[in-house]
Amino acid sequence: MPGVRWMIYTGTINLIVYYLLRKNIILVVYISYWMKIKVRMMPGGERSLDVPKGATYQKLLEKLKVDRETVIVFRNGKPVPEDEEVCQGDIKILKVVSGGSTRTIYWNKKRNTVMLIDQTLLPEKFKVIGCATVPSLVEAIKSLRVRGAPALGAAGAFGVALAAFSHKGKNLRGGLKKSAAVIREARPTAVNLSYGVDRVLGVALNGRTDNEVRKLALAEAQKIADEGVEINMRLGRHGAMLLKNGETVLTYCNAGRLACVDFGTALGVIRAAVQQGKKIKVFACETRPLNQGSRITAWELMQDGIDVTLIADNMAAHVMRSGKIDKIIVGADRITRDAVFNKIGTYMISVLAKEHKVPFYVAAPMSTFDLKRTEKEIKIEERDGDELRYFAGKLIAPKKVKVYNPAFDATPLEDVSAIITEKGVLRPPYRF
Ligand code: MRU
């Protein structure tokens, strides 16, 4: 009887999907018996939509604001085209990943392009865009479509691979070096960007033929991206030891999976603690002027079902004074011999932490350390004044007012209670 067979088939598939979801293995959209589409990004982050009669997947994906590049539709075990009608029992696997999420940045093997989640659109829209040329990737870096130190490391790495694949004409090596310089300069403070660029360039230039250069560049970039995820998970496990069940953590900016390839640094520590079964609450500062805290951290944690409360930056002192915060964890863009560079406002939080005796932790991979330099030698990126004059496209200050808009600040190392790395937790006095 085809009806019974169909029910057994879809029932089994739904059970498998449920199991994989529980295990955090995949990110799926599937169509249940009831013709509802369910989207689950991470545990707790499920959304449900009715499937209109005759809907195609293309239409559904538009409605869900999910990108098509990352979607495979399975019917009876075979991929089906996007323009076909949705059927009961169909399963769409968006991406098979280790951490139960889609990566922030990755390489599209078919098109030889760099794919990245456009973070400027979050939380309103989840969209993955493709960069097919070095200028388009540089634009994405400068406009913060891809941002956060480790994600910039991967962007730099894939950027050199992109330069190798998109180069036209002779002298691939010369072209590669030029493109590397342009990518490296796109944002000056996060050291991971130049780390990614230089590591891939160094390996790629060993290639004897143009083909070998391209192959080596891509393999090394992929290695950096994969390593990054592994490193964050290790870092998260070390950091989780610092958090007790029931504690509340304040974080600043976004040092989550969106600032990395996956998992996150500061938010990776929280994620790891939650995975160990600890109940952790998070206070996320909104992080003016570009609101990485409210737009990205709050969204990302909610996707994971982690308890997050949003506050404006000028509420940080009050929440600490009223005893609501047990620990502070932030990320880093660069750690020199004497200071931690991170999103503008981090220093202010560290001063408040000292005053209120709240431990102030920095979570960062070893690739963020720049121990040959000191604070004074680092260039702090200054961004366009319109980031303060406008909010969501609306003028909120006199159009011609002078603006000072540094994107980062430096916190002296002596004010950092511990640095959480993939190698373990470093404590003061820091001896590098
Ligand atoms: O300007 P951004 O959004 O790239 O700044 C990002 C930060 O300051 C992050 O806190 C830092 O890169 C750490 S990311 C793990």
Side-chain angles (χ1 to χ4, degrees):
M1 233 164 84
V4 174
R5 237 189 300 145
W6 177 81
M7 273 177 69
I8 294 172
Y9 169 74
T10 51
T12 316
I13 297 283
N14 276 347
L15 273 176
I16 295 170
V17 169
Y18 180 72
Y19 170 78
L20 292 172
L21 280 170
R22 295 288 303 204
K23 292 269 163 200
N24 247 351
I25 297 173
I26 56 173
L27 167 70
V28 296
V29 176
Y30 69 99
I31 310 296
S32 73
Y33 295 123
W34 301 277
M35 287 301 270
K36 274 195 187 300
I37 188 163
K38 286 190 190 287
V39 187
R40 188 156 181 171
M41 312 286 281
M42 280 290 286
E46 192 170 279
R47 280 193 287 155
S48 193
L49 269 186
D50 283 319
V51 180
K53 252 197 160 159
T56 60
Y57 273 117
Q58 212 156 343
K59 275 267 159 323
L60 278 181
L61 294 177
E62 277 164 24
K63 211 166 162 187
L64 284 165
K65 297 172 178 156
V66 181
D67 184 73
R68 247 169 289 141
E69 296 280 337
T70 50
V71 174
I72 312 165
V73 184
F74 287 98
R75 185 174 302 152
N76 297 330
K78 288 193 193 116
V80 295
E82 290 296 304
D83 52 3
E84 276 196 22
E85 245 179 60
V86 172
C87 284
Q88 282 184 347
D90 283 358
I91 294 190
K92 298 178 69 59
I93 299 187
L94 298 184
K95 202 163 192 315
V96 181
V97 282
S98 53
S101 69
T102 188
R103 286 190 175 191
T104 298
I105 178 162
Y106 57 93
W107 183 262
N108 182 328
K109 277 190 203 143
K110 270 195 208 142
R111 298 183 182 176
N112 290 326
T113 51
V114 182
M115 308 301 295
L116 48 98
I117 298 173
D118 186 344
Q119 300 186 40
T120 59
L121 304 175
L122 287 171
E124 211 184 343
K125 198 167 176 187
F126 180 93
K127 189 171 184 214
V128 178
I129 58 167
C131 298
T133 62
V134 171
S136 69
L137 181 70
V138 168
E139 187 280 331
I141 294 172
K142 285 189 172 165
S143 61
L144 273 56
R145 295 183 203 286
V146 60
R147 48 147 296 280
L152 289 173
F158 282 129
V160 176
L162 183 63
F165 277 88
S166 60
H167 181 81
K168 303 233 168 8
K170 290 184 182 153
N171 193 9
L172 175 64
R173 281 176 180 69
L176 218 53
K177 284 184 201 160
K178 269 192 203 148
S179 294
V182 175
I183 301 167
R184 210 185 278 120
E185 288 305 307
R187 291 195 76 191
T189 311
V191 70
N192 299 61
L193 180 61
S194 51
Y195 169 85
V197 167
D198 293 338
R199 199 171 131 182
V200 174
L201 187 66
V203 170
L205 292 179
N206 292 328
R208 281 159 302 172
T209 60
D210 284 3
N211 245 346
E212 210 175 289
V213 168
R214 282 190 278 270
K215 249 194 185 164
L216 287 173
L218 182 56
E220 191 64 15
Q222 193 57 55
K223 197 166 157 200
I224 289 178
D226 295 342
E227 269 175 22
V229 182
E230 175 54 36
I231 283 170
N232 283 357
M233 287 179 160
R234 249 183 290 147
L235 179 157
R237 283 194 292 273
H238 287 303
M241 292 191 291
L242 301 172
L243 299 182
K244 295 197 197 95
N245 188 25
E247 283 191 330
T248 300
V249 177
L250 181 138
T251 190
Y252 196 77
C253 192
N254 172 264
R257 74 158 48 95
L258 282 146
C260 304
V261 176
D262 203 347
F263 206 70
T265 53
L267 298 192
V269 171
I270 293 164
R271 206 160 257 136
V274 170
Q275 283 175 356
Q276 290 170 2
K278 294 177 191 166
K279 281 207 161 57
I280 304 292
K281 290 187 177 166
V282 181
F283 271 59
C285 296
E286 67 176 344
T287 318
R288 282 283 290 145
L290 294 180
N291 288 60
Q292 288 92 329
S294 56
R295 291 189 305 104
I296 305 173
T297 295
W299 181 83
E300 180 182 322
L301 291 175
M302 286 178 79
Q303 293 291 325
D304 279 22
I306 295 174
D307 187 328
V308 57
T309 302
L310 176 65
I311 57 167
D313 302 335
N314 55 4
M315 297 170 190
H318 171 70
V319 293
M320 283 189 223
R321 188 169 156 80
S322 44
K324 287 187 171 39
I325 307 298
D326 299 299
K327 309 265 160 74
I328 294 162
I329 313 182
V330 297
D333 283 86
R334 189 187 290 251
I335 300 175
T336 57
R337 280 207 304 276
D338 52 354
V340 171
F341 287 80
N342 194 47
K343 179 53 52 195
I344 186 78
T346 303
Y347 171 58
M348 170 184 77
I349 299 291
S350 78
V351 173
L352 292 174
K354 200 157 68 167
E355 172 68 20
H356 296 96
K357 304 195 172 34
V358 180
F360 179 86
Y361 300 136
V362 171
M366 296 306 295
S367 53
T368 302
F369 285 71
D370 182 14
L371 300 176
K372 289 202 180 89
R373 295 194 175 78
T374 57
E375 181 185 339
K376 283 199 180 75
E377 297 166 81
I378 305 307
K379 180 173 171 193
I380 290 189
E381 176 186 356
E382 277 188 42
R383 297 187 58 88
D384 198 303
D386 279 354
E387 289 181 353
L388 269 91
R389 293 187 198 100
Y390 289 85
F391 189 81
K394 188 176 163 24
L395 190 66
I396 54 162
K399 210 173 177 159
K400 293 208 168 138
V401 69
K402 277 195 286 176
V403 168
Y404 174 51
N405 186 15
F408 301 96
D409 59 26
T411 297
L413 265 192
E414 59 263 28
D415 293 344
V416 176
S417 315
I419 305 176
I420 306 160
T421 75
E422 70 271 27
K423 297 213 162 146
V425 177
L426 313 179
R427 301 267 188 187
Y430 301 103
R431 291 192 220 289
F432 301 121

